[in-house]
């Protein structure tokens, strides 16, 4: 920030008013010639006080005063010029600015508002990219299920209606998830993020999410245990976001479990917070692996127990999405081969 604007912001009389700074500079600039003439008259010998000398002095002081005043006024425009530059750089190159936000006058409040708006827009943009990535990631499991069911249709025509029904259930479930996500994104755009979210029952929500993966659980003979709280648990957290994260955790539980093992979903209220836990008996992870568990692992994602592929991005995005809504996602395992437990708290 320009030194002149910063120093003028320390003067109590003009600290809180941007226009007062301009008026103060203009007032001082106008009176410099008058002060100079008074000083010259009082301190010069009588023989130098000719009309020509006074006129030349007035012209010189006026020109100098005008130049200095215009220069200082130009420097006072620095908050506006800096704001303009920040907006242009963000719009053209996506560069996040670091505008000063502590000045109390109108220009300072403008810079603070621009900084907060750009930060908010950048968070929205990042959240949408992350949600789109997680949607793509989560679609792999149901699409693989549909492909597997289509293969069964070819070789087992006796259960054709059963397979078609399962395909229909999976497809409707994913369409519902995508529709809710698109509605949320549209609402976010129209209200710049201040979306009024409806309250819903967490336990019913869990049951619906488990049904979406019924076919995936059946393919590995996974026993699903729903240990749901008897207490009514309600929340207004984004249903689409929570669905994306929970679908990812449940898909991972299936992927990293062996045939015939169990997956337990637990809901509870603890310390006035709602907790949702997904626990499996599968591969688990070591203490060393836990340190990088939520990192972007697109180059090192491990395969499932049936050699299922992994993008290595799901947990990374899930943690970010939960944290952006003020919650947390934590993981625990007693070691390799001892299963894993992932807990969402909000």
């Amino acid at each position: 920030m320009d030194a002149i604007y910063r120093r003028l912001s320390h003067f109590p009389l003009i600290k809180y008013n941007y226009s007062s700074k301009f008026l103060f500079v203009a007032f001082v600039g106008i009176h410099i010639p008058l002060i100079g003439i008074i000083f010259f008259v009082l301190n010069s010998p009588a023989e130098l006080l000719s009309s020509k000398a006074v006129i030349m002095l007035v012209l010189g002081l006026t020109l100098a005063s005008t130049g200095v005043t215009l220069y200082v006024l130009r420097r006072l425009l620095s908050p506006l010029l800096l704001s303009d530059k920040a907006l242009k750089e963000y719009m053209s190159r996506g560069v996040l600015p670091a505008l000063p936000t502590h000045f109390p006058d109108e220009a300072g409040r403008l810079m603070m508002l621009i900084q907060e708006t750009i930060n908010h827009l950048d968070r929205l943009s990042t959240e949408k990219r992350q949600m789109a990535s997680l949607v793509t990631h989560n679609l792999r499991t149901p699409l693989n299920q549909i492909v597997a069911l289509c293969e069964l249709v070819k070789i087992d025509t006796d259960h054709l209606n059963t397979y078609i029904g399962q395909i229909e259930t999976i497809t409707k479930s994913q369409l519902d998830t995508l529709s809710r996500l698109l509605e949320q994104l549209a609402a976010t755009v129209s209200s710049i993020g201040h979306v009024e979210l409806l309250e819903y029952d967490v336990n019913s929500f869990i049951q619906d999410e488990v049904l979406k993966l019924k076919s995936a659980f059946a393919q590995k003979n996974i026993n699903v245990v729903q240990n749901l709280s008897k207490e009514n648990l309600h929340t207004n957290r984004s249903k689409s976001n929570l669905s994306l994260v929970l679908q990812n955790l449940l898909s991972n539980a299936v992927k990293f479990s062996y045939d015939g093992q169990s997956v337990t979903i637990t809901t509870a209220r603890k310390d006035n917070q709602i907790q949702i836990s997904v626990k499996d008996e599968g591969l688990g992870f070591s203490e060393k692996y836990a340190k990088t568990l939520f990192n972007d692992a697109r180059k090192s994602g491990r395969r499932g127990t049936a050699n299922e592929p992994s993008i290595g991005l799901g947990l990374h995005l899930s943690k970010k999405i939960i944290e952006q809504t003020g919650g947390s996602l934590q993981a625990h395992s007693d070691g390799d081969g001892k299963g894993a437990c992932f807990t969402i708290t909000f």
Side-chain angles (χ1 to χ4, degrees):
M1 180 52 60
D2 185 84
I4 293 177
Y5 172 74
R6 187 169 59 249
R7 288 171 183 170
L8 287 175
S9 295
H10 293 314
F11 286 92
L13 292 177
I14 59 175
K15 181 178 181 178
Y16 298 98
N17 195 297
Y18 187 53
S19 59
S20 294
K21 295 179 176 66
F22 281 87
L23 294 175
F24 174 77
V25 172
F27 177 83
V28 173
I30 290 171
H31 288 81
I32 285 177
L34 178 60
I35 295 171
I37 293 172
I38 294 174
F39 183 82
F40 177 75
V41 171
L42 293 177
N43 294 277
S44 298
E47 58 270 16
L48 293 179
L49 294 178
S50 63
S51 57
K52 182 178 180 181
V54 172
I55 292 173
M56 294 301 295
L57 178 63
V58 170
L59 288 175
L61 289 174
T62 301
L63 290 174
S65 174
T66 302
V68 171
T69 301
L70 291 175
Y71 172 76
V72 174
L73 291 176
R74 177 68 171 77
R75 296 281 293 272
L76 278 179
L77 292 174
S78 61
L80 304 181
L81 298 175
L82 192 61
S83 299
D84 179 68
K85 180 181 178 182
L87 286 170
K88 287 180 178 178
E89 288 192 348
Y90 179 73
M91 295 298 293
S92 61
R93 298 191 290 130
V95 177
L96 281 176
L99 295 171
T101 57
H102 60 280
F103 293 102
D105 62 6
E106 296 89 345
R109 292 194 291 273
L110 174 64
M111 289 189 291
M112 181 177 67
L113 182 61
I114 290 174
Q115 182 69 50
E116 290 179 350
T117 302
I118 290 178
N119 288 342
H120 184 68
L121 289 174
D122 190 70
R123 284 195 300 270
L124 285 179
S125 178
T126 300
E127 181 181 352
K128 289 177 184 178
R129 289 197 300 270
Q130 291 171 351
M131 290 173 65
S133 297
L134 194 54
V135 168
T136 304
H137 179 275
N138 288 354
L139 280 175
R140 292 169 62 90
T141 297
L143 288 176
N144 286 333
Q145 294 171 16
I146 291 173
V147 170
L149 289 169
C150 289
E151 293 297 324
L152 288 174
V153 168
K154 295 178 183 178
I155 61 177
D156 185 9
T157 56
D158 294 337
H159 299 87
L160 183 62
N161 289 335
T162 301
Y163 299 142
I164 291 176
Q166 291 178 358
I167 291 173
E168 183 182 18
T169 299
I170 294 170
T171 304
K172 285 183 176 179
S173 171
Q174 295 307 309
L175 284 174
D176 179 62
T177 299
L178 289 173
S179 296
R180 282 190 280 111
L181 177 63
L182 290 173
E183 288 173 3
Q184 181 187 341
L185 291 177
T188 300
V189 170
S190 63
S191 60
I192 317 190
H194 299 286
V195 185
E196 184 177 352
L197 300 173
L198 299 177
E199 193 174 87
Y200 57 92
D201 179 67
V202 173
N203 290 334
S204 298
F205 166 77
I206 296 295
Q207 293 170 340
D208 292 339
E209 294 303 307
V210 170
L211 281 175
K212 293 177 183 179
L213 289 174
K214 182 179 179 180
S215 176
F217 289 127
Q219 285 180 8
K220 277 192 168 183
N221 298 311
I222 299 295
N223 177 38
V224 182
V225 179
Q226 298 187 49
N227 184 19
L228 304 181
S229 172
K230 294 181 180 180
E231 182 182 359
N232 289 327
L233 303 178
H234 290 85
T235 182
N236 65 346
R237 299 298 169 119
S238 167
K239 201 171 186 178
S240 298
N241 286 3
L242 192 56
S243 175
L244 288 172
V245 173
L246 193 59
Q247 285 291 307
N248 180 248
L249 296 181
L250 291 172
S251 297
N252 284 349
V254 174
K255 184 189 304 180
F256 298 117
S257 294
Y258 294 97
D259 281 9
Q261 290 187 323
S262 295
V263 171
T264 303
I265 301 102
T266 303
T267 62
R269 184 186 298 279
K270 185 176 181 182
D271 297 331
N272 204 32
Q273 292 184 315
I274 295 175
Q275 290 187 340
I276 303 173
S277 297
V278 177
K279 184 178 182 180
D280 63 64
E281 301 172 341
L283 293 181
F285 50 84
S286 65
E287 186 177 346
K288 180 180 179 181
Y289 189 80
K291 296 177 181 178
T292 60
L293 187 65
F294 293 105
N295 291 352
D296 185 340
R298 277 175 283 191
K299 296 182 180 179
S300 57
R302 59 179 180 170
R303 289 182 172 271
T305 55
N307 204 35
E308 299 101 323
S310 176
I311 297 178
L313 194 60
L315 287 177
H316 173 70
L317 293 175
S318 293
K319 186 175 178 65
K320 282 195 169 186
I321 288 174
I322 289 297
E323 288 179 347
Q324 284 171 352
T325 60
S328 66
L329 175 60
Q330 298 176 322
H332 172 76
S333 175
D334 291 330
D336 290 327
K338 297 182 178 180
C341 181
F342 291 86
T343 303
I344 301 169
T345 304
F346 53 87

